[in-house]
Amino acid sequence: MSEPRWDRLLLNATLATFVGDTPCGLVERGAIALHHGRIAWVGRMDELPDAPGTLAAAVESLDGALVTPGLIDCHTHLVFGGDRAQEFDLRLNGASYEEIARAGGGIVSTVNATRAASEEQLFAQSLPRAQALLADGVSTLEIKSGYGLELDSERRMLRVARRIGRELGISVRTSFLGLHALPPEYTDRRDDYVALACDELLPALAAEGLLDAVDAFCENIGFTRGETHRVFERAQQLGLPVKLHAEQLSDQDGAALVAEFGGLSADHLEYLSEPGIKAMAAAGTVAVLLPGAFYALRETKLPPIALLREHGVAIAIATDCNPGTSPLLSLRMAAGMACTLFRLTPEEALRGVTVNAARALGLHDRGTLAAGQRADLAVWKVKRPAELCYWIGGSLVREVYVGGESVTV
Ligand code: DI6
Ligand code: FE
């Protein structure tokens, strides 16, 4: 008897492939073959080239269970020290996020806790957050620096981010967010800090191979458009793609700036204007919406969804997992919130955590179920794609495969 051609064959699956024009690219009574870490074959079971038992070393029937690409969380800050539960209390009693930040709380309080944590402590505190995301179907995760704001602490955060990927067997992409907040020791010396971030921290961390992209917080309580321009220029010199926290609390024309640099994504976008949308559409910059932050800040201004659709801007959804504005540990929940709060369709939200999220990270080898893609899959306990957005909470994951291997969730 000849050797089976595939490592593993999953049968009787409902496949949300996100390929083609049908809703979610759905294939009923589908089969998907995994081989050497890649998807080797996808289609209807009745189109398999031979009897299943002869095709693969391991064959499993899924009884109609839904299979999606492994989910991709393209915007998180999940490596940090401490928490900000006390600030949550202050906000519930009427203080605004800006007021807390201007009074020296907010991001800066997490900077202090992160600087005080050793690499082991930071790893021990952050790992469970990544585990929670994985348990909810995430197989690729972006993690930003930005709570260190000096070389050793930024490096520690990024090393912990990479280590989380190795520990859990998932993909972690890292972004430098040196322009996140002005560190307390640079009060009244803004230019010196921006110079430090652009000319010392960024090149040093890039040289250590710790960075995949560069981000900034372009906001009236963050950094100006000019300062953002400066860090983007340096990123460009170093060959790193850019992305931006843009138009979250006010319109700084940041989306147009990141588009001008051919950026991967502009993120948040509640205050985005039509010229910004047009610039994003022309540059192919993805709109990353973060409903967790919208919810936690009790924001009322909605991102301009109708205009994003009209101009054909790809929409992704992420958790923004961070201790201040979005302590959210479920990407599926973020997708559900995008439906309920932003009125995305479940299909749009699910494209937002798969195919469009891959694009927001500049990754072309994942985010759909197609032959040749990485074998990153989530097998669910439900049968219809919309259920992933409809159920609030609970644990719906049956199995996650990363690079063809089942990982413990
Ligand atoms: N925007 C956000 O939503 C997070 N960072 C940012 O630039 C919030 C970070 C925090 O409050 O700790
Ligand atoms: Fe963020």
Side-chain angles (χ1 to χ4, degrees):
M1 216 177 102
S2 61
E3 288 278 298
R5 63 171 98 172
W6 299 321
D7 294 336
R8 180 177 294 276
L9 179 59
L10 304 176
L11 294 174
N12 202 4
T14 305
L15 303 170
T17 65
F18 300 105
V19 176
D21 296 332
T22 57
C24 297
L26 208 68
V27 177
E28 311 256 14
R29 298 188 57 74
I32 182 163
L34 318 184
H35 193 65
H36 286 181
R38 300 266 156 187
I39 296 173
W41 193 94
V42 189
R44 292 209 330 254
M45 262 198 305
D46 60 11
E47 291 175 342
L48 277 166
D50 212 334
T54 66
L55 285 168
V59 179
E60 185 186 349
S61 173
L62 297 182
D63 307 313
L66 176 68
V67 178
T68 66
L71 304 188
I72 299 172
D73 195 348
C74 65
H75 180 143
T76 88
H77 310 245
L78 74 73
V79 172
F80 57 83
D83 67 76
R84 305 239 290 279
Q86 188 199 358
E87 204 176 283
F88 174 59
D89 226 21
L90 291 175
R91 283 209 315 276
L92 290 176
N93 284 297
S96 75
Y97 182 62
E98 275 113 321
E99 280 161 9
I100 292 168
R102 289 189 197 284
I107 295 173
V108 168
S109 70
T110 299
V111 170
N112 294 332
T114 303
R115 286 177 173 180
S118 69
E119 194 162 318
E120 277 313 305
Q121 288 169 334
L122 211 47
F123 177 71
Q125 290 175 30
S126 305
L127 182 68
R129 299 191 271 268
Q131 276 166 326
L133 292 173
L134 169 62
D136 209 38
V138 169
S139 55
T140 297
L141 182 59
E142 186 254 19
I143 303 178
K144 302 172 197 301
S145 75
Y147 291 122
L149 311 182
E150 49 91 14
L151 187 58
D152 282 352
S153 309
E154 289 284 289
R155 182 193 287 121
R156 211 157 56 239
M157 288 186 71
L158 293 162
R159 286 170 52 92
V160 165
R162 292 266 203 253
R163 187 171 156 199
I164 285 172
R166 288 193 301 275
E167 175 80 15
L168 298 180
I170 61 176
S171 301
V172 169
R173 307 290 287 180
T174 51
S175 304
F176 175 66
L177 183 55
L179 296 195
H180 194 195
L182 194 63
E185 66 277 17
Y186 280 88
T187 311
D188 305 325
R189 289 193 295 142
R190 286 189 76 78
D191 287 351
D192 291 350
Y193 178 68
V194 174
L196 175 82
C198 296
D199 304 336
E200 293 180 37
L201 306 187
L202 171 52
L205 297 165
E208 291 177 35
L210 286 169
L211 298 176
D212 299 308
V214 172
D215 193 351
F217 186 31
C218 184
E219 192 52 70
N220 49 28
I221 56 164
F223 291 85
T224 66
R225 206 173 184 278
E227 290 161 345
T228 303
H229 194 277
R230 189 158 165 199
V231 80
F232 281 2
E233 273 189 325
R234 179 62 73 165
Q236 202 169 47
Q237 285 165 8
L238 295 166
L240 290 169
V242 298
K243 53 175 74 182
L244 190 64
H245 282 74
E247 281 57 284
Q248 180 187 6
L249 307 169
S250 62
D251 183 4
Q252 306 279 326
D253 203 21
L257 176 63
V258 70
E260 193 185 302
F261 278 82
L264 293 170
S265 68
D267 303 28
H268 285 286
L269 303 176
E270 280 83 344
Y271 290 80
L272 178 62
S273 67
E274 189 159 9
I277 296 176
K278 286 185 174 158
M280 289 173 68
T285 299
V286 176
V288 178
L289 305 182
L290 304 167
F294 177 94
Y295 168 81
L297 293 176
R298 311 220 287 176
E299 178 61 67
T300 52
K301 186 159 169 56
L302 288 162
I305 306 292
L307 280 175
L308 289 169
R309 285 186 185 124
E310 193 181 311
H311 290 282
V313 176
I315 297 175
I317 307 295
T319 61
D320 195 16
C321 176
N322 77 69
T325 60
S326 192
L328 176 57
L329 296 171
S330 162
L331 184 56
R332 199 173 61 70
M333 175 86 91
M337 287 172 146
C339 298
T340 303
L341 300 174
F342 295 168
R343 290 283 175 253
L344 261 63
T345 65
E347 173 167 9
E348 285 174 319
L350 294 173
R351 286 185 184 272
V353 294
T354 54
V355 57
N356 290 346
R359 209 174 126 188
L361 293 178
L363 298 172
H364 305 287
D365 62 350
R366 65 197 75 188
T368 63
L369 300 181
Q373 291 277 85
R374 275 176 62 92
D376 290 359
L377 332 170
V379 182
W380 301 92
K381 294 175 189 165
V382 300
K383 298 193 172 174
R384 314 302 309 172
E387 287 189 69
L388 299 180
C389 301
Y390 158 79
W391 293 108
I392 302 172
S395 93
L396 301 188
V397 167
R398 180 164 150 176
E399 189 125 44
V400 178
Y401 290 92
V402 186
E405 301 296 322
S406 171
V407 294
T408 323
V409 298

